[in-house]
Amino acid sequence: MEQFLRTRPHIVVFGVLLGVIVIYWTSLWFGCISDDYTVIGAAQPEHFHVLNAFPAGSGQYFRPLTMLSYAMLSWVTDGFFHQHVINLSLHLCASFLVWRIAQQIADPKWALMATALFAFHPAHVTNVVWLSGRADLLCALFLLSMISTSMNSESGIGKHMALSLFALLACASKEVGIMSTPVLFCWLMFRTKIAVTWRLLIGPICVTMIWSTFVWNQFYDGAPASSFDPLTLSSLTLKWVYLVLSPFSAHFTKINFARFAVLALFIVAVLAWLTWSARKNTLRFSLVWPLLIAPLLAVLPVFVYVNGISDRLVTISIALVAPTIGYLLQWFAESRARTVWALSICCCVSYFVASMVGVHTWHRGKAIERLASQSFLDYKNTLSAHKQPVLLTWPGSFKSAPIFSNDIAAGLHFAEWRNYDWRSPPIVVAMVDSDIENPSISWRRLDSRRFLLALEADQGHFNFGRLNQSLGSSLKVGDWEMSVRALNGYGQVSECLITFDPSFDYSRFEFLIWSAGKWHKVSH
């Protein structure tokens, strides 16, 4: 087996890439999910401008290369299939580059294992499935391309220009690209002479400094960063490490702290045991530690400006740490080869299964979205012309798959008119997050402007985003206010009171609730 891996590694790499295609094959027909409607809408010829904001999330992102990639394909085809093919292709290319880099610092056997761990990692599912996740895929690809180029033995102006170009492309894909210089420095510092290292860094340093200055002053208008304390930073760092190393999807431990603690302690115990067993082996710390620190440097902008972390935000970090994992596995294997090989195989299988489950979850979530959208359009056709629908609830997510998030209006308009230029979206009040496909909601209309909604404890919870989830807390949004009446065992909202303003013209609206897989009219 080992001889085969040494002589024909390309065949095994092809098998790994084929496994990636198997995982994500069904996602090619998903269409748009969540932020995708606004992102693809902004990329249409009538709306696109290279200096416009990337409209996902808060809309305060400058990612011109990512937006240009959407726009160029939108000019050629109206469908979403080809957009999904691009996302999958980017992940395949990144996986191949991980192998190219890993085989230069580890034996082929462990380089291939590191490639499989990266390619099958469940944290990539959202970025590959969501069209709006392309920013992370592009940035990871260009950072890996920069590292691969830096390890090339050739020298000359071509290498300097290539490093600068990849740094620029990474910055233009996502803000994390501004960390390309320290990441490159970590890879160069112990592989080349200091003088050579600094010469190779001159181009990327100039590119990232100019780019950062332009973006900060022109796009963000010099806005200050989010504030965070050392405790928050430590918490985010620990969660980041867990998401990178965990063989399970984030949803597995999303709201169960005991499960998270047990799994985290198990991972720590296994790593500690392997480290102790390999303590007498020769470890090139000069190679390992900078390469493990580099991915953390790459995620620091996320900590500072997003003030949070999730599985979809660690793709770039995993890409940067993956080649080093190959070397660490090789070091561990010097004392316990069979154990390390068996654990690695188990981890790969776990990653593969978790990713398959993640894609299937999105498939079911997309099916619920289509059902809710079509049912809504059918119900809307029965309303009189002077009536407008108010959706008191909407299926916000299924397991770890947010169905519409803040882009319900765009999705409904596209389902009805097949374009992105929506003008009169329906009013949507509460999102329902659930681990079951069609949770049942009980409701009572207390008077003309007050509605009491309730979910069973095991049916899910109401998601109001910024609402402080404590008894008695409330949130005012537009013409209505939401108040928390009860919490479930996980501290999430299970009962709420929705109160509309007295000035709200109830005669013009029809109130609907999505419950048990269909729309219900809420009468007096």
Side-chain angles (χ1 to χ4, degrees), residues 381-398:
N381 291 333
T382 66
L383 297 178
S384 58
H386 70 280
K387 288 280 189 178
Q388 293 295 321
V390 173
L391 310 182
L392 294 176
T393 62
W394 184 268
S397 74
F398 168 61

Side-chain angles (χ1 to χ4, degrees), residues 182-183 186 240 288-300 320-321:
V183 167
C186 289
W240 169 80
V288 173
W289 294 116
L291 305 189
L292 293 179
I293 293 171
L296 182 58
L297 291 175
V299 85
L300 276 179
L320 297 177
V321 81

Side-chain angles (χ1 to χ4, degrees), residues 318-334:
I318 296 171
L320 297 177
V321 81
T324 309
I325 294 297
Y327 176 73
L328 285 177
L329 290 175
Q330 178 180 314
W331 178 65
F332 289 143
E334 290 179 15

Side-chain angles (χ1 to χ4, degrees), residues 191-240:
R191 293 185 59 83
T192 59
K193 296 179 180 179
I194 296 297
V196 176
T197 297
W198 285 112
R199 284 203 300 270
L200 291 175
L201 285 173
I202 290 175
I205 286 175
C206 293
V207 166
T208 52
M209 288 186 66
I210 293 172
W211 183 271
S212 302
T213 302
F214 165 74
V215 172
W216 195 256
N217 291 323
Q218 299 299 321
F219 189 77
Y220 289 107
D221 198 23
S226 303
S227 60
F228 64 96
D229 55 84
L231 182 61
T232 301
L233 180 60
S234 301
S235 174
L236 292 174
T237 303
L238 290 174
K239 187 176 180 182
W240 169 80

Side-chain angles (χ1 to χ4, degrees), residues 75-343:
W75 299 337
V76 177
T77 176
D78 294 331
F80 304 117
F81 176 83
H82 299 90
Q83 298 281 8
H84 282 287
V85 169
I86 295 297
N87 273 28
L88 179 55
S89 301
L90 290 172
H91 184 51
L92 290 171
C93 292
S95 300
F96 181 78
L97 282 175
V98 167
W99 173 69
R100 288 288 303 273
I101 298 169
Q103 69 174 344
Q104 298 189 51
I105 61 175
D107 289 342
K109 175 181 179 179
W110 302 110
L112 289 167
M113 185 59 70
T115 304
L117 290 171
F118 168 78
F120 300 154
H121 202 294
H124 304 318
V125 169
T126 304
N127 284 326
V128 178
V129 169
W130 286 25
L131 298 179
S132 58
R134 188 176 301 174
D136 293 81
L137 300 175
L138 279 171
C139 189
L141 178 65
F142 291 129
L143 288 176
L144 288 170
S145 299
M146 182 180 65
I147 293 169
S148 180
T149 302
S150 72
M151 300 179 75
N152 194 321
S153 59
E154 297 180 4
S155 59
I157 189 65
K159 186 173 184 178
H160 289 264
M161 293 180 63
L163 292 175
S164 301
L165 175 63
F166 287 133
L168 176 63
L169 294 175
C171 290
S173 301
K174 191 173 183 178
E175 298 75 14
V176 174
I178 64 174
M179 301 303 291
S180 56
T181 299
V183 167
L184 180 60
F185 175 74
C186 289
W187 279 90
L188 289 174
M189 189 166 54
F190 295 102
R191 293 185 59 83
T192 59
K193 296 179 180 179
I194 296 297
V196 176
T197 297
W198 285 112
R199 284 203 300 270
L200 291 175
L201 285 173
I202 290 175
I205 286 175
C206 293
V207 166
T208 52
M209 288 186 66
I210 293 172
W211 183 271
S212 302
T213 302
F214 165 74
V215 172
W216 195 256
N217 291 323
Q218 299 299 321
F219 189 77
Y220 289 107
D221 198 23
S226 303
S227 60
F228 64 96
D229 55 84
L231 182 61
T232 301
L233 180 60
S234 301
S235 174
L236 292 174
T237 303
L238 290 174
K239 187 176 180 182
W240 169 80
V241 172
Y242 171 80
L243 290 173
V244 170
L245 296 178
S246 173
F248 300 99
S249 65
H251 182 72
F252 182 74
T253 56
K254 187 175 182 181
I255 57 177
N256 192 321
F257 179 78
R259 187 185 296 168
F260 169 82
V262 169
L263 193 55
L265 289 174
F266 175 76
I267 294 172
V268 170
V270 170
L271 290 176
W273 174 63
L274 290 175
T275 303
W276 177 258
S277 301
R279 66 189 184 280
K280 295 181 180 179
N281 301 334
T282 302
L283 177 66
R284 293 167 59 192
F285 286 97
S286 60
L287 173 65
V288 173
W289 294 116
L291 305 189
L292 293 179
I293 293 171
L296 182 58
L297 291 175
V299 85
L300 276 179
V302 176
F303 290 173
V304 175
Y305 299 109
V306 178
N307 209 2
I309 190 69
S310 67
D311 52 347
R312 72 172 299 190
L313 299 175
V314 300
T315 287
I316 297 171
S317 293
I318 296 171
L320 297 177
V321 81
T324 309
I325 294 297
Y327 176 73
L328 285 177
L329 290 175
Q330 178 180 314
W331 178 65
F332 289 143
E334 290 179 15
S335 56
R336 296 188 177 274
R338 290 184 178 179
T339 302
V340 174
W341 181 254
L343 286 173

Side-chain angles (χ1 to χ4, degrees), residues 28-86:
L28 299 179
W29 290 270
F30 278 4
C32 286
I33 300 174
S34 191
D35 294 334
D36 296 352
Y37 290 102
T38 12
V39 170
I40 299 300
Q44 299 305 303
E46 61 270 23
H47 301 300
F48 175 75
H49 190 284
V50 72
L51 295 181
N52 284 350
F54 185 80
S58 66
Q60 290 301 309
Y61 307 112
F62 184 56
R63 302 168 182 175
L65 183 62
T66 304
M67 288 302 300
L68 184 62
S69 72
Y70 299 127
M72 291 178 66
L73 207 54
S74 296
W75 299 337
V76 177
T77 176
D78 294 331
F80 304 117
F81 176 83
H82 299 90
Q83 298 281 8
H84 282 287
V85 169
I86 295 297

Side-chain angles (χ1 to χ4, degrees), residues 414-476:
F414 183 84
E416 184 173 6
W417 303 105
R418 312 307 292 178
N419 66 56
Y420 306 91
D421 189 21
W422 64 92
R423 295 184 178 86
S424 56
I427 296 174
V428 181
V429 179
M431 309 293 285
V432 179
D433 294 349
S434 179
D435 282 350
I436 62 176
E437 291 193 20
N438 296 306
S440 297
I441 303 172
S442 60
W443 67 88
R444 187 155 53 98
R445 189 167 186 174
L446 304 180
D447 52 42
S448 60
R449 65 190 190 93
R450 293 192 302 158
F451 301 84
L452 186 63
L453 310 180
L455 273 163
E456 296 294 333
D458 59 347
Q459 295 266 309
H461 67 279
F462 297 104
N463 185 351
F464 296 118
R466 296 165 293 155
L467 176 62
N468 177 23
Q469 296 186 359
S470 59
L471 287 176
S473 61
S474 60
L475 178 68
K476 184 76 167 65

